[in-house]
């Protein structure tokens, strides 16, 4: 017999406020990011007086507190009652120059938020708005490397200051990729004049501090044992130093304890949670990859299913593939999905990024193979990855 919502809601839970464990929750303080927050605050502070600010590029792996730290500064900035503004955009959504400019207009000049206006019209309206009272506009572009026409966007935004008689426009770009600016043209790079800030991965004690802060707000008192906190922090530190991963582990461990009717979360629940969280993290990572990284991963997964040349040469090969054959398969996949294969140099970058995300592993080839090459191996079951990728890549095939 199906129960009622009332009975479900009345069921005892070890959670006090589950949302606190979400990676999207912004706490009042961010442990172990005080130094980075101070740097961002110093950089944006001239805007409070209507003065020019430098462009800033923030780098770091997923879950290192980049976005949370910048959003924390934005909250403090907004409380100052200044005529200048900071505007946040996720570039997975606002992924073109037109969409970025359109969102600025929608936010500050809603009367002109209508279909049919071109880039030049939106650009002029933004300049007019900035020049009124000489405002400073700081655009926070999260995952900035996801913008399709990034070179055009950067050049347009930075060169806008040449057209402004009063006021200023600056960029705070956030990216997981230290080398994303290599895709920019020389003219765009030369106009940036930026400051760079790298967020290092968290270590185990730092992750424990973050977890304890969230557990204090999110769980009932005494509901999480010390060994569970230490284990979740150690696992996350060993994997990537990713605070989001540590929070997911703790959230899932709490859910498992709730389902079992347990009164506390122990290391056993954390270990059990790791299995499902790892798979969910892999799915999220695959679905959000840029298309050419998806195509490279598709090539690795499809070869791994059938076994590559190295497997035959090395009597099984422990699942490793020759990077050269992966590149050939990648080129085949590009033709299949109607895309132009990138150069071998970009292919190597894509492999490095996939390894950084933990989706593949790589080792240098040893004796018995002519020349120097890298061996590539899937970190997850290739059949599962193929299913995820085929759902993601099929719309690309229809383009």
């Amino acid at each position: 017999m199906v129960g009622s919502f009332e009975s479900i809601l009345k069921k005892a839970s070890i959670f006090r406020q589950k949302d606190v464990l979400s990676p999207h929750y912004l706490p009042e303080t961010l442990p172990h990011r005080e130094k980075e927050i101070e740097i961002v605050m110093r950089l944006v502070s001239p805007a409070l007086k209507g003065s020019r600010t430098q462009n800033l590029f923030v780098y770091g792996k997923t879950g290192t507190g980049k976005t949370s730290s910048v959003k924390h500064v934005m909250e403090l900035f907004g409380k100052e009652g200044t005529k200048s503004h900071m505007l946040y955009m996720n570039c997975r959504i606002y992924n073109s120059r037109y969409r970025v400019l359109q969102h600025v207009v929608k936010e500050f000049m809603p009367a002109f938020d209508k279909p049919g206006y071109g880039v030049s019209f939106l650009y002029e309206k933004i300049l007019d708005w900035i020049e009124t009272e000489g405002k400073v506009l700081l655009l926070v572009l999260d995952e900035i490397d996801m913008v399709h026409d990034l070179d055009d966007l950067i050049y347009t935004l930075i060169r806008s200051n040449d057209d402004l008689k009063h006021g200023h426009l600056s960029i705070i770009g956030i990216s997981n990729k230290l080398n994303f600016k290599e895709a920019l043209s020389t003219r765009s790079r030369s106009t940036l004049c930026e400051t760079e800030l790298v967020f290092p991965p968290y270590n185990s004690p730092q992750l424990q501090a973050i977890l304890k802060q969230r557990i204090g707000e999110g769980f009932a008192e005494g509901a999480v044992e010390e060994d569970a906190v230490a284990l979740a922090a150690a696992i996350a530190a060993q994997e990537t130093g990713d605070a989001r991963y540590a929070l997911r582990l703790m959230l899932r461990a709490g859910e498992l304890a709730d389902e079992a009717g347990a009164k506390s979360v122990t290391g056993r629940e954390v270990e059990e949670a790791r299995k499902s969280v790892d798979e969910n993290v892999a799915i999220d990572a695959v679905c959000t990859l840029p298309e050419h990284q998806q195509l490279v991963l598709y090539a690795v997964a499809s070869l791994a299913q059938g076994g590559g040349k190295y497997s035959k040469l090395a009597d099984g090969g422990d699942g490793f593939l020759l990077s050269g054959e992966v590149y050939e398969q990648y080129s085949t996949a590009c033709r299949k999905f109607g895309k132009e294969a990138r150069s071998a140099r970009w292919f190597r970058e894509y492999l490095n990024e996939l390894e950084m995300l933990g989706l593949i592993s790589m080792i240098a080839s040893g004796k018995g193979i002519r020349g120097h090459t890298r061996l590539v191996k899937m970190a997850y079951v290739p059949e599962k990855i193929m299913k995820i990728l085929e759902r993601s890549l099929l719309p690309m095939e229809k383009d």
Side-chain angles (χ1 to χ4, degrees):
M1 186 177 180
V2 177
S4 65
F5 282 118
E6 185 180 5
S7 64
I8 292 170
L9 292 171
K10 281 184 176 179
K11 188 179 177 183
S13 173
I14 61 174
F15 289 107
R16 178 185 295 159
Q17 191 180 348
K18 208 171 183 180
D19 290 348
V20 169
L21 295 160
S22 164
H24 306 294
Y25 175 77
L26 189 63
E28 288 186 13
T29 60
L30 296 169
H32 302 289
R33 285 297 176 248
E34 296 84 359
K35 182 182 77 172
E36 289 80 5
I37 288 170
E38 179 76 21
I39 291 170
V40 179
M41 287 179 70
R42 282 205 306 269
L43 189 132
V44 304
S45 60
L48 295 171
K49 297 180 179 180
S51 299
R52 180 184 294 259
T53 64
Q54 274 192 307
N55 300 303
L56 171 66
F57 284 94
V58 178
Y59 303 103
K61 290 183 178 181
T62 301
T64 52
K66 306 181 300 296
T67 299
S68 295
S69 296
V70 174
K71 283 186 172 180
H72 182 77
V73 172
M74 287 180 68
E75 280 198 358
L76 297 175
F77 189 93
K79 291 176 182 177
E80 292 295 319
T82 175
K83 63 186 178 183
S84 296
H85 301 269
M86 294 183 75
L87 177 63
Y88 173 87
M89 284 183 239
N90 184 332
C91 292
R92 287 194 180 275
I93 299 167
Y94 304 102
N95 59 1
S96 69
R97 176 176 63 167
Y98 180 80
R99 286 187 177 181
V100 168
L101 297 180
Q102 188 181 43
H103 187 60
V104 175
V105 168
K106 180 179 181 179
E107 188 71 22
F108 300 115
M109 296 149 276
F112 298 103
D113 179 30
K114 297 174 183 176
Y117 290 135
V119 167
S120 58
F121 179 88
L122 299 174
Y123 175 78
E124 292 296 334
K125 288 300 172 187
I126 292 168
L127 294 191
D128 291 344
W129 176 79
I130 290 173
E131 286 201 322
T132 306
E133 301 180 354
K135 304 177 186 72
V136 175
L137 175 61
L138 290 158
L139 292 183
V140 178
L141 302 174
D142 200 356
E143 296 196 71
I144 188 171
D145 48 278
M146 297 303 295
V147 176
H148 300 323
D149 51 352
L150 181 58
D151 196 64
D152 291 335
L153 174 65
I154 294 288
Y155 190 75
T156 298
L157 294 178
I158 302 307
R159 290 305 296 266
S160 67
N161 292 301
D162 294 340
D163 296 328
L164 286 168
K165 295 173 184 173
H166 307 285
H168 187 72
L169 189 152
S170 293
I171 297 169
I172 297 179
I174 305 174
S175 176
N176 297 336
K177 303 171 185 175
L178 277 165
N179 63 345
F180 92 92
K181 287 188 299 178
E182 289 180 12
L184 298 177
S185 66
T186 304
R187 67 166 192 173
S188 293
R189 287 202 300 269
S190 66
T191 62
L192 276 173
C193 304
E194 81 282 2
T195 298
E196 296 184 321
L197 176 61
V198 178
F199 279 57
Y202 293 108
N203 60 33
S204 186
Q206 290 171 338
L207 287 168
Q208 283 194 54
I210 292 167
L211 286 174
K212 285 178 179 178
Q213 179 199 49
R214 301 291 185 99
I215 287 166
E217 295 180 58
F219 282 89
E221 190 174 350
V224 182
E225 296 186 7
E226 284 290 331
D227 71 318
V229 180
L231 181 59
I235 290 170
Q238 185 180 22
E239 293 289 337
T240 55
D242 182 342
R244 291 186 186 185
Y245 181 77
L247 289 166
R248 279 187 176 189
L249 274 179
M250 193 52 64
L251 174 61
R252 183 60 187 143
E255 289 171 344
L256 290 170
D258 253 2
E259 289 165 12
K263 292 183 179 179
S264 65
V265 176
T266 68
R268 185 177 62 254
E269 283 79 26
V270 172
E271 284 286 9
E272 195 176 339
R274 183 179 188 176
K275 299 169 189 173
S276 60
V277 169
D278 279 354
E279 189 163 322
N280 289 337
V281 167
I283 291 169
D284 288 351
V286 170
C287 291
T288 55
L289 287 172
E291 63 182 24
H292 278 275
Q293 288 183 31
Q294 286 193 8
L295 287 163
V296 172
L297 190 61
Y298 181 87
V300 177
S302 58
L303 279 174
Q305 283 184 303
K309 296 174 186 174
Y310 182 71
S311 301
K312 298 176 178 67
L313 289 172
D315 191 24
D318 200 25
F320 281 100
L321 306 162
L322 296 166
S323 60
E325 65 179 328
V326 175
Y327 184 74
E328 289 175 14
Q329 188 73 8
Y330 157 69
S331 300
T332 301
C334 286
R335 288 193 294 273
K336 175 181 176 180
F337 293 104
K339 298 295 173 181
E340 186 176 345
R342 299 285 174 83
S343 68
R345 185 180 73 84
W346 279 108
F347 170 74
R348 289 192 294 272
E349 289 294 333
Y350 299 146
L351 286 177
N352 290 336
E353 286 160 5
L354 292 172
E355 184 181 39
M356 186 184 76
L357 290 167
L359 294 168
I360 63 171
S361 59
M362 292 193 292
I363 60 171
S365 62
K367 293 179 180 179
I369 295 179
R370 185 179 297 174
H372 180 72
T373 186
R374 289 188 294 179
L375 303 176
V376 183
K377 184 180 180 181
M378 282 295 306
Y380 292 89
V381 178
E383 289 78 10
K384 288 185 178 179
I385 297 296
M386 284 290 285
K387 285 180 182 177
I388 299 164
L389 284 167
E390 282 169 352
R391 286 198 298 270
S392 181
L393 292 169
L394 276 174
M396 192 190 300
E397 192 175 18
K398 296 172 185 175
D399 286 351

